[in-house]
Amino acid sequence: MNTQERRAKLLGEVRDGSGHIQELADRFRVSPSTIRRDLTALARDGHLL
């Protein structure tokens, strides 16, 4: 899964109420730092408040 695909799926997870960094990292098989970077990018692009 590439970065864009992961971020699109991550956005769906967060919008459905999932928000624990470690849980998301485990689900997407990436590090917590990657999830934080993805969330920062999604917020920067206006997808998250």
Side-chain angles (χ1 to χ4, degrees):
M1 172 181 324
N2 68 36
T3 301
Q4 288 180 325
E5 292 170 333
R6 184 181 62 247
R7 287 182 180 170
K9 290 182 180 192
L10 177 59
L11 183 58
E13 292 287 328
V14 171
R15 286 184 174 167
D16 287 341
S18 296
H20 298 281
I21 299 296
Q22 188 61 55
E23 178 185 316
L24 293 167
D26 292 344
R27 185 171 299 151
F28 289 100
R29 297 183 179 148
V30 296
S31 71
S33 297
T34 298
I35 294 296
R36 287 186 191 96
R37 280 192 301 273
D38 287 347
L39 291 171
T40 298
L42 289 168
R44 182 191 62 230
D45 293 344
H47 298 290
L48 300 173
L49 297 175

